Amino acid sequence: MDIATLRDNHPEHWMRAAAVRMLAVDAVQAANSGHPGMPMGMADVATVLFSKHLKFDPKAPKWPDRDRFVLSAGHGSMLLYALLHLTGYEDMTIEQIKNFRQWGSITAGHPEYGHATGIETTTGPLGQGIATAVGMAMAEEALRARFGRRVQDHFTYVIAGDGCLMEGVSHEAIGIAGKQKLGRLVVLWDNNNISIDGEISLSDVTDQRARFKAAGWQVLACDGHDPDDIDRALTEAKSSKKPTLIDCKTHIGLGSAVQDTAKAHGSPLGAENIESLRETYGWPHAPFEIPADIAGWWKEIGARGAQVRAEWNDRVAALSEQRQKEIARVFEGTPPRRLSATIKALKKQVSDEGPKVATRKSSEMALEVINPIMPETIGGSADLTGSNNTLTAGLGIFDATNRKGRYVHYGIREHAMAAAMNGMALHGGIRPYGGTFMVFTDYARPAMRLSALMGVPTVYVMTHDSIGLGEDGPTHQPVEHLAICRATPNTWTFRPCDTVETAEAWELALTSQRTPSVLALSRQGLPTLRREHKAKNLTAQGAYVLAEAGAKRRAILIATGSEVEIAIAARELLEAEGIGTRVVSMPSMELFAAQDESYRRKVLPAGPVRVAIEAGVRAGGWDRWLLGERGREAKAGFVGMESFGASAPAPRLYEEFGITADAVVEQVKTLLG
């Protein structure tokens, strides 16, 4: 349908969609950077979606039963910002639109969760939005099963581009969605056949419709510029028990001189082109000016949700007081009151009994007492359930036949698993955790990074955390992975030394509001080192004195995880020779760095030599504790990995790579001179 026909057949719709288009065009031009083509191409789809299908209330942007809208093609952020402004989100003022991509504005180059209300998730890395939306749809299914349709009854809509569908994570995500039969997930594919380099045929010949259909999706198609056809497809999508892909055939940069070319993708159109475009659109208004009748119509669309939300409030108010409190609690992300006492009881039991278990087993022991009192947890694993120890009794399997199940078999899809967990957490009402091997954080990294960037408290259970996994060899032995986790801002990386520290790490992870957690857990059995029960969560301090020097303190050994046991053994050898040695367990560098300087000084005073022990590389934070914080290079040493690992039993690997108590003793003596 050409523009003239579209304007003639649907004059009111055309002008309403033109308001979206021109806000995007004017904002990109004012910023002298941005992506006008996609908002211009998808404005018709977005106008129909927001006006006829999307359930939302700008006055209550966190309303739990709203539909979720995810702009996976985040480079087209001005589409979302224009819609938020027009429908009445109070913080999305015209001044914010005018300051698109400028310092201090909430209108960042790509949508950033937390910057503006109405942005459900950070997008921009292509494909992330689709995968995150899968988690949102899973959360809706789980919560509807738990609380009923009166509380949870909504859809998740995604606008995705050709680039999103080329990214590998999209394949993982659509596989999960198809298997789970997420009938309330609708992906609107902006099929404009253009990417940055040019036509899609330059790099891809995939039949996307066939791909989605093969993965168990309903596949529909529409003219992405015909409002009646768009409405038809959306209506049909909502009646399916399968997730739906709607192939929206569109023109990037619609109506401009660069329509259907890569030039429309990521550059301002230019003043001359925009002047011509205003004539083509029949839009004689000045930049950022919206006529009162059109602005009023859009505001009415936004105001319409107030009544729907009021009806929802009435339904919730009719529930029991206990039910209302529980709904409020889980959506606020507040842990149950019993969590602290439950963790304390487990710690006392473990300190008394002193089991020798791998910390992956310790994690399972913690989850065995946590999951029964936290019905909002949903666990899972990337096809490593028996290795990650993430499934506990009574959870049940979450799938299309059992929405009350709380354990997800994600399959070998680490990236989509991590993104889906982000989606669950962003949706609200769910505390997600999921496991894989530590080395496969490489596969999950983009979504883990977004967890930290967004401030989403997703929990990553990463087992087999060192050369201690043994015979599987260097491909599966992480040596640099702790470093990248610690280097990521707003991430808590826990490497507990025993079951007590593991339980404490879980308590912190599940009470976090704005920080994701990585639990690096061992395959090999570790002794209980915390034999004296302390109610206080010492892991919350990041590092603490586990064993004090008997003789005059001349050395401090700092270790994490499985190497704390080695530090304790080295201390005994050094003390036997009259060298007073303190052992510091450091389960979380980030939390230790956050402590007051006075506490850090007590743990790491000036004077003694310092040796760090960890079965990973030195990079990624160790130099601060060895050379900074009153340390000196001449008095600092590191016992750990300087290369990749090898295939052999774990004890032999520790010997061959020199991560032993004897090696620590030798380092200390060398530093002491």
Side-chain angles (χ1 to χ4, degrees):
M1 185 180 296
D2 59 60
I3 290 178
T5 303
L6 183 58
R7 288 180 60 183
D8 288 343
N9 291 353
H10 306 281
E12 290 184 340
H13 164 84
W14 172 259
M15 296 306 289
R16 292 160 182 171
V20 176
R21 291 187 169 100
M22 291 312 301
L23 280 176
V25 167
D26 290 338
V28 170
Q29 183 68 20
N32 197 31
S33 73
H35 301 77
M38 191 280 271
M40 295 166 71
M42 284 298 280
D44 295 307
V45 173
T47 298
V48 174
L49 174 64
F50 271 66
S51 65
K52 294 189 175 182
H53 295 274
L54 197 70
K55 181 172 66 173
F56 69 106
D57 183 359
K59 303 300 183 185
K62 289 296 186 181
W63 170 34
D65 200 33
R66 68 193 182 279
D67 286 341
R68 270 60 171 181
F69 172 64
V70 174
L71 185 67
S72 189
H75 55 274
S77 57
M78 265 311 306
L79 176 70
L80 177 56
Y81 301 152
L83 291 164
L84 296 179
H85 169 69
L86 291 169
T87 55
Y89 285 79
E90 292 180 357
D91 55 347
M92 193 57 69
T93 64
I94 195 65
E95 291 305 314
Q96 291 291 348
I97 300 291
K98 291 178 178 179
N99 285 313
F100 177 54
R101 287 181 163 232
Q102 303 308 300
W103 177 261
S105 73
I106 62 175
T107 47
H110 294 84
E112 301 285 349
Y113 175 75
H115 284 210
T117 56
I119 298 175
E120 299 285 4
T121 181
T122 294
T123 54
L126 295 177
Q128 286 287 326
I130 294 177
T132 303
V134 168
M136 293 178 178
M138 292 171 70
E140 191 275 341
E141 295 280 2
L143 290 164
R144 179 154 40 89
R146 181 181 177 193
F147 294 123
R149 288 182 180 273
R150 291 183 297 174
V151 177
Q152 289 285 277
D153 187 12
H154 57 264
F155 284 79
T156 299
Y157 297 96
V158 183
I159 285 181
D162 296 298
C164 289
L165 302 193
M166 281 194 277
E167 285 285 2
V169 69
S170 75
H171 197 70
E172 295 183 21
I174 68 172
I176 294 172
K179 160 62 182 172
Q180 292 293 344
K181 297 184 179 179
L182 301 178
R184 288 162 177 255
L185 175 64
V186 179
V187 172
L188 298 149
W189 170 27
D190 178 20
N191 180 8
N192 61 36
N193 196 41
I194 293 293
S195 65
I196 292 175
D197 280 357
E199 293 188 2
I200 297 301
S201 59
L202 286 170
S203 58
D204 193 30
V205 295
T206 302
D207 184 336
Q208 295 293 355
R209 294 192 197 181
R211 180 167 77 109
F212 275 78
K213 188 174 182 180
W217 287 56
Q218 172 182 239
V219 176
L220 306 174
C222 70
D223 180 334
H225 299 299
D226 181 343
D228 290 340
D229 205 27
I230 297 165
D231 184 38
R232 172 200 57 78
L234 280 165
T235 301
E236 186 175 349
K238 292 195 293 185
S239 65
S240 176
K241 293 183 179 179
K242 297 179 179 180
T244 299
L245 173 75
I246 302 178
D247 177 351
C248 305
K249 187 58 183 172
T250 63
H251 296 282
I252 191 171
L254 180 71
S256 70
V258 291
Q259 176 182 311
D260 297 329
T261 72
K263 292 180 179 179
H265 173 79
S267 301
L269 298 180
E272 184 176 338
N273 196 356
I274 293 174
E275 183 178 352
S276 175
L277 188 68
R278 292 185 192 280
E279 293 182 12
T280 301
Y281 283 1
W283 189 267
H285 314 291
F288 304 107
E289 180 182 317
I290 308 296
D293 60 331
I294 295 174
W297 181 85
W298 273 109
K299 286 295 190 296
E300 287 179 11
I301 294 301
R304 187 179 56 193
Q307 178 61 36
V308 181
R309 180 173 60 87
E311 293 169 359
W312 180 85
N313 286 337
D314 290 341
R315 293 196 301 272
V316 173
L319 301 174
S320 68
E321 183 179 353
Q322 182 179 358
R323 196 70 159 168
Q324 292 181 55
K325 287 182 178 179
E326 181 65 2
I327 292 168
R329 182 187 70 79
V330 298
F331 275 97
E332 289 167 0
T334 304
R337 292 180 179 179
R338 289 190 291 165
L339 179 61
S340 178
T342 299
I343 295 296
K344 287 184 176 70
L346 175 62
K347 287 166 55 179
K348 187 176 189 311
Q349 177 187 343
V350 169
S351 294
D352 290 344
E353 297 176 359
K356 181 176 182 178
V357 295
T359 50
R360 60 173 175 156
K361 176 63 177 177
S362 302
S363 174
E364 181 183 40
M365 293 164 64
L367 288 170
E368 284 172 346
V369 298
I370 290 167
N371 282 333
I373 67 165
M374 288 192 73
E376 64 266 38
T377 58
I378 289 184
S381 172
D383 201 54
L384 289 167
T385 296
S387 295
N388 299 149
N389 297 90
T390 40
L391 175 61
T392 60
L395 280 187
I397 305 304
F398 176 89
D399 61 19
T401 67
N402 181 23
R403 296 305 194 196
K404 291 186 177 180
R406 292 165 53 199
Y407 191 81
V408 182
H409 288 292
Y410 286 103
I412 307 164
R413 302 183 179 103
E414 295 88 354
H415 194 175
M417 175 182 74
M421 290 196 295
N422 284 342
M424 292 182 198
L426 287 163
H427 178 281
I430 302 293
R431 279 279 183 172
Y433 69 88
T436 186
F437 286 174
M438 184 76 184
V439 76
F440 298 139
T441 55
D442 285 342
Y443 289 151
R445 176 62 49 198
M448 294 175 71
R449 183 175 186 270
L450 285 188
S451 301
L453 181 62
M454 292 187 288
V456 176
T458 308
V459 183
Y460 297 98
V461 183
M462 300 302 185
T463 70
H464 297 59
D465 70 342
S466 72
I467 60 170
L469 72 87
E471 292 85 347
D472 276 344
T475 57
H476 284 55
Q477 292 166 3
V479 295
E480 74 274 33
H481 299 74
L482 284 166
I484 184 59
C485 289
R486 289 169 178 157
T488 304
N490 191 40
T491 298
W492 290 342
T493 302
F494 296 103
R495 191 161 186 256
C497 72
D498 65 4
T499 304
V500 176
E501 283 192 354
T502 304
E504 291 179 337
W506 266 112
E507 181 180 19
L508 294 165
L510 292 174
T511 54
S512 171
Q513 292 293 322
R514 297 284 300 160
T515 302
S517 298
V518 178
L519 275 64
L521 306 171
S522 75
R523 180 197 183 210
Q524 71 273 37
L526 304 178
T528 300
L529 299 177
R530 290 267 296 276
R531 296 306 302 271
E532 180 184 349
H533 173 63
K534 292 185 181 297
K536 184 177 182 180
N537 189 321
L538 300 184
T539 299
Q541 298 172 303
Y544 60 94
V545 177
L546 178 63
E548 187 53 280
K552 179 183 177 182
R553 186 171 59 232
R554 300 178 62 197
I556 299 176
L557 307 181
I558 316 168
T560 76
S562 47
E563 286 68 70
V564 177
E565 176 187 9
I566 294 173
I568 292 292
R571 174 187 175 275
E572 292 179 3
L573 295 173
L574 289 164
E575 289 280 346
E577 297 188 35
I579 301 173
T581 304
R582 167 185 285 186
V583 173
V584 171
S585 179
M586 188 176 283
S588 172
M589 290 186 180
E590 300 83 22
L591 290 180
F592 186 53
Q595 302 304 305
D596 291 339
E597 197 274 339
S598 60
Y599 175 74
R600 300 199 310 273
R601 181 183 294 274
K602 288 179 182 177
V603 176
L604 297 178
V609 300
R610 299 179 187 179
V611 175
I613 313 146
E614 186 171 72
V617 297
R618 179 168 172 170
W622 276 116
D623 280 357
R624 172 171 180 177
W625 314 117
L626 292 173
L627 309 181
E629 299 283 332
R630 297 155 302 280
R632 291 194 295 137
E633 187 167 2
K635 291 189 173 185
F638 181 78
V639 174
M641 296 296 293
E642 297 180 353
S643 66
F644 293 109
S647 177
R652 181 64 181 270
L653 291 172
Y654 273 82
E655 288 287 340
E656 293 293 338
F657 287 104
I659 307 175
T660 64
D662 287 339
V664 174
V665 170
E666 183 179 347
Q667 276 262 21
V668 169
K669 288 181 175 179
T670 299
L671 292 170
L672 288 173

